[in-house]
Structure formats: C-alpha cells, structure tokens
Amino acid sequence: MSTATHRRIRIGIDTGGTFTDVVAFDEDAGTITTTKTPSTPSNPADGFINGVDKVLEILGATGEDVTAVSHGTTVATNQLLEAKLDPLGFITTEGYEFVLEIARQAVPDGYGNSYFWVKPERIVPADLVKTVGGRMDFEGNEVRPFDEEGARAVARWFKEKGINTLGVNFLHAYANPAHETRMREILAEEHPQAVVSLSSEVLREYREYERSMTTLVDAAVKPKVSAYVANISERLRSYTGTDVKGAEGSGGSTGGVAPRAMPFYIMKSNGGVLSAEEVVHQPITTVLSGPAAGALGAAMVSGLAGFDKVLTCDGGGTSTDVSVVLGGEPTLTTEGSVGAYPSKIPMIDVVTVGAGGGSIAWISPDGSLKVGPHSAGADPGPLCYGRGGADGAPTITDAHLLLGRIPPHLLGGEIPLDVDAARAGLQEIAGRLGLDVEHAATGILEISAWNQANALRQISVKRGLDVRDFMLATFGGSGSLLACRLVDILDLAGVIVPLNPGNVSAFGLLTVDVKNDYVQTMVAKHVHLDLGQLNRAYDDLTARATHALDLEGFDRADHQFQRTADLRYVGQAFEVRVPVPVEELDEAAADQVAEAFHDAHKALYGYDFRGDDRQEVEWVNLRVTGVGPITRPSIPQIGTGEGDAERARTSTRPVCFDAADGYVDTPVYWRPDLRDGDQVQGPAVIEEFGSTVPVHPGFQVRVDAWGNLVITKPGGGVVAGTQQQEEQA
C-alpha cells in the first residue's frame, strides 16, 4: 500500500486555433509553469491531452498530483462562427411561429444600410417551427390549458423527420414553466432520442425573440459540446487510476475499483468556471469560454501593475479578441452575440475580429488587398510552417517573418519556420499588386493593424470611452506583434505585455471562481414595489445558486452571492444593471437601489430623471450570481536590475519596420534575462518562448517588478500605472 503524499497541482488549458496553451500552478510550492503544444483541429481533445502530458512531464508529476483542470474551449464558439449547425427544430406557442422571422426588425449600422443589407437565414427555417396550443400570461397565470394531444403530434412529427435537436420556448414561460416542463416530458415519451433545451431553464427573463434565440443556440451547441466534454472527461480518468476493464484483465488485482474522476472545469462566458458535469446541461454559457479567460488573466496582471483602465487584445492564430477592463474587472453584457446569433446571457463584453497570425492575405475581385477573416489555422498553417499553407496564400505570420519581426522559429526552436516559403508566397501577391515584397508585407500588417484598431474602437469609443486614457494589454501568441502600431493609430497611453503572454488565457483559467447566474423577470414600478414578493424572488434565486454550489462541493460557509437588478425609466426599451444589497430589502434599501440606477443612468447617457415624478423607475429583472471562491496563484516578482538591458541582448538582425526605410540593424533581447527597472529603446525585438515583441523606432520599454513590458512613446499619454509603482517604491 502506497503512503506517498501527492502534490497539489491545478492546470489551466486554453485551446486556440493554432496552439493549445498550458499553465500549471503548484499550490504548495507557489510556482507557475507554462508550455504550449500544437492544436489539433480535427479533434481538439487530442491537443488538450497532449498539453496535460507535456506539462506533467515538465513538472515530473503524475495525474494523482492534479487537483483540478480548468479549460477554455472554442468548440461552441467555432460552431456558431462557422454556422455549422445540425438540423434544429423549434417548438413555440400557437400563433407565435414567426417570432424568429420578425426578430427585432433591426438593420445593422442603422437604416441607412437597409438598401444593401440582406437578412440572414434564421437559425431554424420556417418549415421546422411547430406550435402547441396553451397560453400563460405575464404573471404566470394559465389563460388557455396546454394541448397535450397537439404536443404529442408535434413530438412524433419531429421524430419522423429525424430532427433530434429541439428548442422549446412558450410565451411567458419565464413566469411559469409548467407548460414547457410538460412538453419535455412528452418529448421524452414520444421522441426519447431528442436533445431538448427549455427557455425557462436557459434564460428565465422576458423578451420573446431573445429568449427564443438564446434557447435555440443552447440546443444547437449541446450535442457537440456534450460529446467533447465527455471525451475529455473519460480520457482524464486514465491519469488517476486503473480502468475497471484493465483491472479485470489483470486478474482483478486492483479490486475492480474505478479510477478517481479528476475535477474538470469549463470556463464560462461570464468570467466563472463550472464543472464539466454541469456544463453539458447549459452549454450556451461556454460560447465565449476562451476569450473570457484571457480578459480575466489580463485584468489581474494589469491591476497588479497599477493600471485600472485597460483595453485587452488577445491575438491568436485565427482571430483577435478585444475587451475593456475598468476598475480591475472586465465589463459584462447581456446583449452579446456570437456570429449572427444573439445570446442574452451574462458574458464578458468581447469583440472578435478575424485578424490572427494565420489570417490569409488575398486580393479581392476589384484588385484591393484584403486580410482575413479566413485563416490557415494550425493545419496546414502559414506557408512558413512548410506544409504548403492554404492554397499557397501568405498569412500575417509570413509577413512578420519576412520582415524579420519574428525569429525563424517558434516555441524556442521547437517549430522551425521556412523563410523562403514565406517569401515565395509574398512575392506572388506582391507581383499581382505591382509592389516590391517588403511593401506588400508591410501593407498586409497595416491592414491587420487597422482591423484590430476598428475592433478596439467598437469596444471603447462606441461605448463612450476615451481610448487616450487607456493602456493596451496585449497577449496571445500574436497579440503583441502590432502593439506599437496600435498605439499610433489609436493614440493610446501605452502598452503592457505580461510575462508569457501566449499563456495569459490559460493563466486566467486558474484565477477564476465557480460562478452560476440566475435571473427572474419581475416587472414592477418602484413606487408600487411589493417588498415581500421582491425578497421572496431573491430568496428563490439564492436558493438555486446555493444548490448549485452545494453540487460543486463548496462548504456553505464559503458561499458568496452577488445580487443585481435591471432597472429603467417607464417606457424605455432597455435597462441598466445596478447592484442590490445581499440582505433582506426594506424600503430604504430599495430606494438606495433606485438612487444607484439614477447615478448609473447619468454615467451612461449623460442625464437622469432623479426627482421628476413624471418619469417613474421600473424594476424589470432580478439577478443572483452564486460564487464558489478558489485559491488564486500569485505572480512572483522578478529580480532587480540596474536599468541596463545589455545582459539580455543576444544578437542583432535586420528588421523592416517601415518599407520606405528598408531594413535596419536591430538588437534582439531574450526576455527571461530582463530585470526590474531595465529599459530598452526602439528599434528592438524582445523574444521569449511563446511570443515576440517588436519595438518600433521612437518607442521605449520599461520592465516592471512583475516582468511586464511597459511600452510607451515619449510625449504620449500619462502612464498612471508606472507613476503608481514609482510612488510605492
């Protein structure tokens, strides 16, 4: 019998389009270990398991030492972005079969675009929408009884058609889910193969179109997400014991004991994690799983460095995700969408643009140069990977390589790059444009930079924020390659590049708590608020959150709850979310919430109606978030230097920052050898295992106590974080 004590290691794994990033936190030693492995698009679970194997080998550990694995997955995201959905059926209330067609009658970019805009296909075509008789009112009272025979006929119809994925949304089911619950029971009897999502479980709030779409998106991704999570969960069992069959085959020497289930968590779009067992019941919560982890990791690093106004830029192989951090927390929204599909669930406010390292450069029919959104991905990858690329087309990575901005290898030499292959592809496109190869390459990067800048504007300027007050936190394998150009385009205060930027998303997975969100619509004017009903509704939501945390294994003493409410002025179409005290609400506490709404409304829109009796306040949605806290890793400080970075200088190579200036001899620095207080003047290139930072002429870099690179342009905006660090010192 073994008496060996095991280590306590938590692993975070983020699967990207090109690489799978891995971070391991040893809770006893307090150390953080990072690595990468190529992603496996044909089966992302293979890349995941390869990452587990690789980091355990580096640590000299076994599966018995792992206390939890947290994962950021793009399975649901990619399925929605690529619109690769299996046939989907929709069951709704009789008379409301065209709710998807009517939608919100909104035209993107305003009605000035109505002449050119083509209405996208509905997530469920009209011939796969079926209705059932019965009706609830908005208070949950039954107006017409549920038509059970009609429900059975609908269930049989979908079974005969072979439609096995179904979304159910009956009118006002948020107030009373009885009809939806009965529909599921009938489907289980008549069509047991069907995968079913109910609106009353996915999104228990009003607005029928958004609730329908959110329910259907949940149903659409449920089969694939469930299969993916089940595959990984089963493979993780092999790390923690002997399989039952193996035990029997060896004469039963292990007593037939099944292997221990390794705790496995999935990142949610709201900035929390959830156990894999629960995720399969609410897969829509993972639609922004990967980007959410990156935003949280960047928020933690930036806050430690003293920056509370930050734009994050997560550049991967396929796309770039941007978000806003205010006061150390990424901003949340319930008005988000993935691809063409709105999803009214709490999610970190992220904008995605198809501008990653593998984004393909191409020439449109009118002869103009375009970049993305198509990507070469991990397989075949850019031309410089030596696998022929995507039909011989060059990518952003090929342009960086040709210009000398990245070294002729990735991952410290694990992946050699073919400069000649990149040059051949770029020369072909340059010839078609009538340019020399350097101008073509810099043109590709310029277009990519403006694509990223436009995404950053959407998340900031269009939200009423002044980007000149913000630092840009860049991470991901390609996130920092265009950082200096983005400062010039947007007039940002500067850039912060964390250590191991390629692994920030995986690190973020180790910093987040277990979170569950619950919502209930309860429309009531503030002056007529029924405090008893209000408190009962919050108690019910809190009980549901408590039950979920119990299932996750958290002690009651560790449970934390966050209450909010969506309020508006009567007649408004949209609400503003404000915090609500956790204790029982009396009249004074309710008035305090209304005052917070006035303040928030003025901050958002520049005015409020405080004190105007003609403009009444209305409560709309009540929300509770249950939080199960975890132990966060601390970021160690690095050694102090003397301000001279020469010790980290490894070589000099020609780099082209501007095609008009050609190549300039540029010093190259090895980042792990930089120390706190070191300074580097551009032009320079700073390299590390998972990423490269080209520092353009006119920029300067300061290394802080946590190893972050703080990049500024002399004469630019004030860098509050740097000043704060100096004051603390």
Side-chain angles (χ1 to χ4, degrees):
M1 178 179 178
S2 174
T3 59
T5 58
H6 297 295
R7 298 154 69 182
R8 294 187 302 160
I9 297 172
R10 282 195 285 126
I11 299 175
I13 299 181
D14 177 63
T15 300
T18 305
F19 291 104
T20 294
D21 305 322
V22 187
V23 174
F25 172 46
D26 190 319
E27 295 187 51
D28 298 315
T31 56
I32 298 172
T33 303
T34 64
T35 189
K36 285 175 174 282
T37 187
S39 293
T40 51
S42 59
N43 184 359
D46 292 339
F48 178 100
I49 295 299
N50 292 340
V52 174
D53 290 338
K54 188 172 182 179
V55 79
L56 289 180
E57 181 180 357
I58 292 172
L59 291 170
T62 69
E64 295 290 344
D65 299 314
V66 179
T67 57
V69 179
S70 297
H71 181 35
T73 173
T74 57
V75 169
T77 314
N78 292 342
Q79 189 179 4
L80 294 173
L81 288 175
E82 297 170 8
K84 294 180 178 178
L85 307 181
D86 293 330
L88 185 64
F90 181 37
I91 303 173
T92 190
T93 301
E94 192 174 53
Y96 287 83
E97 57 266 41
F98 296 111
V99 64
L100 300 180
E101 296 298 327
I102 297 170
R104 283 292 168 201
Q105 298 181 325
V107 177
D109 301 321
Y111 286 96
N113 188 40
S114 59
Y115 182 81
F116 301 97
W117 180 65
V118 177
K119 191 174 184 178
E121 292 184 6
R122 302 295 92 183
I123 190 171
V124 178
D127 62 323
L128 293 181
V129 177
K130 290 294 178 182
T131 63
V132 176
R135 171 78 180 270
M136 298 286 185
D137 68 13
F138 74 98
E139 293 179 324
N141 303 309
E142 188 175 74
V143 177
R144 292 195 297 270
F146 185 60
D147 181 3
E148 297 220 359
E149 286 307 311
R152 291 189 184 278
V154 165
R156 293 176 189 136
W157 186 89
F158 278 116
K159 182 179 181 179
E160 291 168 2
K161 292 290 183 181
I163 306 299
N164 297 325
T165 307
L166 302 170
V168 180
N169 179 19
F170 291 147
L171 194 64
H172 302 307
Y174 60 85
N176 186 344
H179 288 179
E180 286 193 351
T181 302
R182 183 57 186 146
M183 185 72 232
R184 178 166 57 190
E185 292 170 352
I186 289 172
L187 284 166
E189 296 168 7
E190 301 288 348
H191 188 8
Q193 294 81 23
V195 174
V196 182
S197 289
L198 304 184
S199 75
S200 53
E201 295 179 348
V202 174
L203 185 70
R204 200 162 181 171
E205 64 179 275
Y206 84 143
R207 289 198 171 99
E208 297 305 317
Y209 169 66
E210 285 80 2
R211 195 153 54 90
S212 297
M213 284 297 301
T214 305
T215 303
L216 289 166
V217 169
D218 182 79
V221 301
K222 189 174 284 186
K224 189 163 286 188
V225 170
S226 298
Y228 175 70
V229 170
N231 184 359
I232 290 181
S233 298
E234 186 61 31
R235 294 171 73 170
L236 285 176
R237 286 182 176 274
S238 65
Y239 289 90
T240 56
T242 304
D243 185 77
V244 176
K245 292 181 180 179
E248 292 172 351
S250 60
S253 60
T254 65
V257 178
R260 170 179 69 87
M262 184 183 292
F264 179 35
Y265 296 93
I266 303 293
M267 183 76 198
K268 296 172 64 178
S269 306
N270 68 350
V273 292
L274 190 63
S275 67
E277 292 85 354
E278 291 301 314
V279 158
V280 297
H281 302 303
Q282 41 183 305
I284 192 173
T285 60
T286 70
V287 293
L288 286 179
S289 176
L296 285 159
M300 180 177 176
V301 172
S302 301
L304 192 64
F307 302 111
D308 61 354
K309 288 186 174 181
V310 178
L311 302 178
T312 73
C313 181
D314 179 2
T318 303
S319 62
T320 295
D321 305 308
V322 301
S323 64
V324 177
V325 174
L326 292 173
E329 295 289 338
T331 55
L332 291 172
T333 182
T334 54
E335 306 297 331
S337 63
V338 180
Y341 309 113
S343 299
K344 196 174 171 58
I345 59 168
M347 61 176 67
I348 289 177
D349 199 358
V350 174
V351 171
T352 300
V353 61
S359 294
I360 294 170
W362 53 286
I363 298 176
S364 66
D366 64 1
S368 57
L369 178 63
K370 304 286 185 181
V371 180
H374 309 295
S375 173
D379 186 13
L383 289 171
C384 58
Y385 279 21
R387 296 197 290 264
D391 298 324
T395 66
I396 291 173
T397 297
D398 295 312
H400 280 296
L401 178 63
L402 177 101
L403 298 173
R405 300 188 192 183
I406 62 174
H409 56 75
L410 297 177
L411 304 189
E414 289 186 23
I415 301 178
L417 301 179
D418 187 339
V419 181
D420 292 335
R423 180 179 296 276
L426 288 163
Q427 283 177 331
E428 193 275 335
I429 205 168
R432 293 169 62 190
L433 293 168
L435 300 172
D436 62 61
V437 70
E438 284 76 22
H439 276 87
T442 53
I444 289 169
L445 299 185
E446 185 72 359
I447 292 171
S448 178
W450 278 91
N451 286 341
Q452 293 183 12
N454 287 335
L456 288 164
R457 283 198 178 101
Q458 288 182 51
I459 207 74
S460 56
V461 176
K462 287 191 175 182
R463 307 287 200 273
L465 302 174
D466 188 341
V467 292
R468 294 172 296 182
D469 299 331
F470 283 76
M471 291 291 286
L472 178 67
T474 61
F475 54 99
S478 66
S480 306
L481 291 171
L482 297 170
C484 292
R485 189 69 191 106
L486 290 172
V487 170
D488 283 335
I489 293 172
L490 296 170
D491 197 18
L492 297 162
V495 178
I496 176 173
V497 185
L499 263 176
N500 300 309
N503 294 83
V504 167
S505 292
F507 173 76
L509 291 163
L510 302 179
T511 69
V512 296
D513 302 316
V514 171
K515 283 187 180 181
N516 279 290
D517 298 303
Y518 299 92
V519 59
Q520 177 66 61
T521 291
M522 195 190 83
V523 181
K525 293 181 180 179
H526 181 72
V527 294
H528 302 306
L529 202 59
D530 184 333
L531 291 174
Q533 182 186 14
L534 183 69
N535 283 306
R536 285 192 296 274
Y538 269 122
D539 288 344
D540 177 64
L541 293 171
T542 303
R544 293 169 62 191
T546 299
H547 177 66
L549 291 174
D550 287 342
L551 292 177
E552 296 286 351
F554 289 94
D555 293 334
R556 287 286 176 96
D558 296 329
H559 290 193
Q560 299 174 7
F561 302 98
Q562 299 166 354
R563 290 185 177 184
T564 56
D566 299 341
L567 276 65
R568 67 185 178 192
Y569 293 115
V570 173
Q572 285 185 323
F574 296 97
E575 301 82 39
V576 177
R577 186 168 306 165
V578 292
V580 174
V582 175
E583 62 272 8
E584 185 168 341
L585 296 174
D586 56 17
E587 187 174 343
D591 288 342
Q592 184 182 2
V593 174
E595 287 296 312
F597 163 70
H598 290 306
D599 293 338
H601 194 280
K602 186 168 186 178
L604 280 171
Y605 303 113
Y607 70 94
D608 64 67
F609 293 116
R610 192 192 319 263
D612 187 344
D613 294 337
R614 297 170 301 174
Q615 299 287 346
E616 295 182 277
V617 174
E618 189 171 51
W619 294 58
V620 179
N621 297 314
L622 313 180
R623 301 178 186 274
V624 170
T625 298
V627 181
I630 55 92
T631 302
R632 288 173 172 76
S634 59
I635 301 176
Q637 295 190 1
I638 63 174
T640 303
E642 302 80 30
D644 185 3
E646 280 302 307
R647 86 180 77 77
R649 184 167 175 172
T650 58
S651 63
T652 299
R653 72 165 176 258
V655 179
C656 180
F657 294 97
D658 187 327
D661 297 333
Y663 290 87
V664 295
D665 288 336
T666 303
V668 179
Y669 298 86
W670 182 241
R671 187 171 181 180
D673 292 336
L674 292 173
R675 296 290 177 262
D676 178 18
D678 285 351
Q679 297 190 32
V680 174
Q681 300 294 327
V685 174
I686 301 175
E687 298 177 353
E688 59 183 304
F689 174 78
S691 70
T692 301
V693 184
V695 183
H696 288 228
F699 286 80
Q700 63 183 22
V701 181
R702 180 182 180 277
V703 183
D704 73 6
W706 291 273
N708 299 306
L709 304 180
V710 181
I711 306 173
T712 55
K713 194 171 188 178
V718 175
V719 184
T722 303
Q723 289 184 335
Q724 181 176 329
Q725 291 174 24
E726 291 172 350
E727 290 169 3
Q728 291 172 346

